[in-house]
Amino acid sequence: MNQSFNLSIATETIAKDAQQLGVSIEALENISIEVSAEIIQQPALQLVLTYQVTLPSQILANQLHWSTWQQTQVNFTDYLWEETCLECFIAGSDIDGCKLDNEDIAASDQTEPHKIPLQQATAYIEINTSPDGRYAVYQFEGYRNPSILPPIPLYETDGTTRASINWHNCKELADTSGENPLSSTPMVVQTPAHYERSFSLPITQLENQQYVIANMMIEQIHPCVILWFGETDLYFASGHASPPDFHNRDYWPNFGL
């Protein structure tokens, strides 16, 4: 069982972007990005995210910054959103906060507003990954909060180890020449160029069939992508705020697994 997401381009600057890239607006609208989320157990329970990007022409493929995956590049790296970046935001309720009983809730009614337990309903994590293997996993208490850059890393339960991801099926995608295999292969202009990356995060499952990551019951999941073509960046998500803002939870789909 998997949950699929079809990402669309943010259109605020699409006319200018098309002109800069030497393609039609329709060509940018025809960029296809599909993301699938799947739960597997190999051997531990994991949430697997697979990103498939299809460009409608070689003109765009020749301009896309899509770095070759390399095992030596797999490490925690900040500011990945400044280049081609596969992202995902995950939000939900804190599983400890969900255990509040009626006495706790009644007591909270007598406290100051900022001290009322909110069950961390506004907390979320952000995952950034580069096609070459670099990644980052951040934690937020609320909308872009804390606001420091780079954001605060998400840590494992030991409090000292940064959370990490596992890459899947990337070795065969590596190009030993150091060049983009798609841009270096002779292709007919009309032939679509396809790119794919897949990674996973460890999760746990509660008795009620709900899934947990970083002590948070997963309720929303928002895969999104930034593609850089030269100096032009294009934003893709299943829904967009205006201007584009991946952190705006009003546009995040519910988690359906």
Side-chain angles (χ1 to χ4, degrees):
M1 183 175 66
N2 64 66
Q3 183 173 0
S4 297
F5 306 84
N6 290 311
L7 310 190
S8 59
I9 189 171
T11 58
E12 279 78 4
T13 60
I14 194 169
K16 181 186 71 173
D17 296 335
Q19 184 178 24
Q20 289 177 341
L21 297 174
V23 298
S24 66
I25 293 176
E26 182 182 17
L28 296 187
E29 292 175 334
N30 286 338
I31 295 175
S32 171
I33 301 184
E34 297 181 3
V35 182
S36 67
E38 183 180 14
I39 304 294
I40 67 169
Q41 188 160 0
Q42 296 180 347
L45 202 62
Q46 302 176 67
L47 172 65
V48 181
L49 297 166
T50 301
Y51 294 70
Q52 299 185 50
V53 178
T54 304
L55 305 181
S57 74
Q58 187 65 28
I59 296 174
L60 286 171
N62 289 340
Q63 299 180 75
L64 175 64
H65 291 179
W66 184 275
S67 49
T68 301
W69 191 89
Q70 302 175 63
Q71 180 63 51
T72 55
Q73 291 285 77
V74 178
N75 62 80
F76 194 106
T77 306
D78 292 312
Y79 298 105
L80 291 178
W81 61 84
E82 295 180 349
E83 51 193 282
T84 290
C85 188
L86 313 177
E87 304 188 9
C88 188
F89 295 77
I90 301 175
S93 300
D94 182 84
I95 59 174
D96 292 328
C98 289
K99 297 176 182 178
L100 293 173
D101 58 26
N102 292 333
E103 291 183 1
D104 294 325
I105 295 173
S108 71
D109 290 338
Q110 308 302 317
T111 63
E112 298 176 28
H114 70 279
K115 294 183 179 179
I116 295 176
L118 297 178
Q119 303 181 21
Q120 306 237 347
T122 59
Y124 62 96
I125 67 172
E126 175 185 355
I127 307 160
N128 293 170
T129 64
S130 168
D132 65 14
R134 292 171 294 156
Y135 68 90
V137 186
Y138 302 116
Q139 59 179 336
F140 293 87
E141 296 174 7
Y143 175 76
R144 295 185 182 274
N145 176 34
S147 58
I148 60 172
L149 289 175
I152 297 174
L154 177 68
Y155 285 88
E156 303 286 358
T157 53
D158 62 12
T160 58
T161 305
R162 288 184 176 183
S164 61
I165 67 168
N166 297 308
W167 287 99
H168 294 255
N169 305 320
C170 289
K171 291 184 178 180
E172 70 276 10
L173 298 175
D175 177 26
T176 56
S177 70
E179 300 177 359
N180 185 327
L182 289 168
S183 63
S184 61
T185 302
M187 301 175 73
V188 178
V189 173
Q190 289 78 15
T191 302
H194 185 77
Y195 309 78
E196 183 173 324
R197 288 292 185 271
S198 183
F199 61 87
S200 67
L201 295 94
I203 58 174
T204 56
Q205 186 174 17
L206 303 180
E207 293 180 358
N208 57 5
Q209 303 300 307
Q210 291 179 303
Y211 296 101
V212 173
I213 182 171
N215 208 46
M216 180 178 67
M217 198 156 49
I218 304 174
E219 296 173 346
Q220 288 179 292
I221 181 170
H222 184 51
C224 39
V225 170
I226 303 173
L227 296 182
W228 280 83
F229 298 83
E231 299 301 315
T232 302
D233 54 336
L234 304 181
Y235 295 82
F236 298 83
S238 55
H240 288 284
S242 182
D245 181 2
F246 291 162
H247 289 255
N248 188 329
R249 284 179 61 175
D250 291 341
Y251 298 86
W252 295 14
N254 291 327
F255 182 62
L257 291 176

